[in-house]
Amino acid sequence: MDIKYIEKNRIFVIETPDTSYCIAAFDEEGFPCHMYYGDKISTSDLTYVLKMLEPGYTASSNMRDRSSFLDRFPFEYSTNNVGDYRKSSIEITDKNGHSGVNLCYESHKIFKGKKGLQGLPATFGNESDSMTLEITLADKVIGLKAVLSYSIFEGLDAIARSVRLINSSDEPIRIDSVMSMTMDMDNDGYKLLTLPGSWGRERAMDFREIGFGDTSVESFRGESSHQFQPFMALVQNGDSQEQGKVYGFSFVYSGNFEAGVCRSQFDSLRPYMGICRKNFSWKLLGGEEFQAPEVIMTYSSEGLGKMTRTFHDLYRNHLIRSPYKDRERPILINNWEATYFDFDSDKLIAIAKEAKKCGIEMLVMDDGWFGERNDDNSSLGDWYVNENKLKGGLKKLVDEVNSIGLKFGIWMEPEMISPVSKLYEEHPDWAIQIPGREPCRSRNQFVLDLTRKEVFDYVYGRIKDVLSSANIEYLKWDMNRQLCDLGSPGLESDRQGELSHRYVLAVYALMEKLVSDFPNLLLENCSGGGARFDAGMLYYSPQIWCSDDTDAIERLKIQEGTSLIFPLSTMGAHVSDCPNHMVGRTTPFKTRGDVALAGTFGYELDITRISEDDRAEIPHQVETYHKYNELVRSGDYYRIASYQRNREYDAYAVISRDKTRALITYVQVIAGPNAKKRIIKVNGLDDQKAYRIDGTDKVILGSTIRNVGLQIQNAGGDFRSELIYLVSVEK
Ligand code: GLA
C-alpha cells in the first residue's frame, strides 16, 4: 500500500497489493488526467504511459483545436460546457445562469489514515492501516473547487473515492449534478453487470453490451431501491469467477443514484457513479461545502470472484461498525409470516415457549403492535402500544419473553405516517407533499419530512421511548414506500431540489443518534424486503433483511446477487413455512435451513403450528448454525455454480482464511432423468492440503478438488440440498 507523487510529470500513483491507479496533472493548465487503473505497473514507465495518452496536441499549444483535445482527453474528473461533449462529472449553474466549468489541478495532500465524510456513511481506517490522497482542483473563473479524495487500505485492492465541492467565491453556485467517481479508460471488450430487480426478487444479475452513448441504471425513488442496486461492474469474461478483468463500483449511499458508462466516438469508456441528477440540485453559498458520497472501486484480473472477496473484506473490516459485526447473532424467530397483524401477547408467548424448546434465542415482534394497526392501512407514526393486543403493555411482554429465556426484538417503520393516524390528525403537513397537489399514497402511507427539525425530533423521541421502555435488544427498522411528491415547506423555492438528499442525510442522522444512544442494540435494516440493501446502511446496521421472498429457491438468486458485493454476515435470511407465502412452492425444511445458513439465520413461521417433523428438525438446524456460523461470517466466499444461469443447481463455498475448513452448500433445484454426473470444482482451497469430508473417511487433496472436483448425487428429487464440510487433515 503506497501513494506516491512523481513531481517531474506531476503524476500520482496509488498502489494497492495488486493494482496501480495513476492520475496526472496534465499540461500547463493541469487537466486532471486518468492515466491508468489495472494490474500493477512499474512507476519507471509512467512518462511513456502519459505520452501515450496525449491526444496528438495539447490544449495550450493548439487553441485552434482545443475542443478536439478536450473531447478525447482521458479525464479523471471532467469539465462541462467548455469543449468535452461526453457525460460530465459535474454540472453547475453560476450566478449569471452559465454552466461552464473547468476544474484543474491546484494542490494536493498525501497523508496516513482516512477522514470521515461529513454527515455521510463511509469506510474508515486508521493511520496504520490506510492512506489518503487529496487532489484539489479549481475553476478560477467561478471560484469552485473540488477536492478529489482517494483512500486505500492495507492488504486490499480497493480504493474509496469521493468528492467535496467548495464554493470559494462570494456568490451562490447551484450544483446540478456531481458525480462521486468518473474516469476515462480504454474499452477492452467489457460488458456492464448490474443488479436489477423488484419487490420479492431483488438483485438479479444482468449483463449488457455497452453501446455507444450511455448505458446506465438509476434510482430516483428516494432510496437505493428494489429496482436497481447502487453497483456496477465492467466485466471482460462474462460471469467467470476466476478469469478476466473486472472493475467493480459500489456506492456507499442509500438514496437516489446513477451508475453507468458512457462510450465515446473514439471507443473510450467513461464509467460514472454519483447522486442521481434527476430531481437533484443544491444551492451552495459562498464559503460553503458539499460532500458527495463515497464510491468503492475495485479492480480484479481474476474475474468476479476476487472482486467479491475484496468487497466482503473491505465492508467487514472498514465499513460495518456495529459491535455485532464479528459476533454470532442470536437466532431469532419473527412473527410476520406466522401471524401477520393477527396476534396478541398470548400468541407471542406461545411462540416464544415453543421456540425456546428448539434452541431459538430471540423473539422479534413485527408490524401491528401499536396504534390501531390491524392491517396496513393505519397508525404509522402512532408508536404507542396497542394494549388490546399486548395486555399489560410492552414491558410486561418483554419481561415474560425474557423469563422464558429469549431476548426480545421489535419492528418499527419510523420514517412513515399513515393518513389514518393520530399523528396525521395533528400534523397533516408533516408528510412530504407539494402544496395544492394530493400526494400519492403507497401502501396507504406517506413519508415524513424528516428534514424538518420538529418532525425529526418527534420521530427520534418515539424510537427512544419505545426502546427505553423495556429490555429491547434488537430493532428491525423498516421503510415500506418510496418517495414522490417532493416538496418541503422547510426549504426555499430554489432549494426544493435538495429534498431527496437532505432526506437521506436526515435518515443517517437518525440512525447515527440511535446507534450512539443504544450501542448494544442489534439493528437490522429493511425496506419492503431489500430495497435499501446498500453499503450506506451497513455503516449503521450489521445486517439487512434481504427480501420479503423467503422461498429457498428464489432466495438462491437473491442471495447470489446480494453476496456478489455484500458479506454473508449481512444478509437477513430466515426459514419460513410452506407452501411459501409468496410463490406457493413447497421445499424441504432442510433445504430452507441450508439456504438460510448463508445469511444471518432465523425463523419466520408459526412454530406452534408447523408439522412435528419440521419442528423436530429445528434443534438440528440450530446446532448446524452454531457449528458453521463463525466460518460463514468470516470466511472467503467462492461461487461454484449459479442456478440463476444454469437453471438446474446452485453451489457456493465459504473457506476459512487459513484454508483449513470449508463449507460447501449445494442445492439441486431440478433433478434430471438419466442425467450426467454432477461434479463441482472448488477453487480457493490449499492445493497441497488434504481435506476430509466431514462425516466420512474420504480424504482428498485440495488440488484434486479444484481440478477433478467433488461428485454430487444428481438425483433424489427437486429442491434437495447438501452441506459438505471439509476439514484439512495431516497427509
Ligand atoms: C415489510 C417487511 C416485512 C414485514 C412487513 C410488515 O414488507 O419487509 O418483513 O416487516 O413490512 O409490514
Side-chain angles (χ1 to χ4, degrees), residues 336 366-367 411 443 476 478 480 526 528-529 545 548:
W336 178 240
D366 211 279
D367 193 357
W411 178 98
R443 210 192 191 203
K476 178 174 171 186
D478 211 340
N480 278 320
C526 173
W545 184 229
D548 278 345

Side-chain angles (χ1 to χ4, degrees), residues 199 202 226 334 336-337 340-341 366-368 373 376 380 411-413 443 445 476 478-480 526-530 545 547-550 574 604:
W199 175 67
E202 293 89 340
H226 300 101
N334 176 304
W336 178 240
E337 286 195 26
Y340 294 103
F341 294 98
D366 211 279
D367 193 357
R373 186 133 165 120
D376 56 10
L380 295 171
W411 178 98
M412 291 181 84
E413 198 182 351
R443 210 192 191 203
Q445 63 197 57
K476 178 174 171 186
D478 211 340
M479 195 265 194
N480 278 320
C526 173
S527 177
W545 184 229
S547 176
D548 278 345
D549 194 334
T550 52
H574 297 165
E604 182 123 358

Side-chain angles (χ1 to χ4, degrees), residues 341 367-368 370-376 378-380 389 443:
F341 294 98
D367 193 357
F370 52 92
E372 290 174 23
R373 186 133 165 120
N374 295 314
D375 57 31
D376 56 10
S378 81
S379 303
L380 295 171
K389 284 181 167 178
R443 210 192 191 203

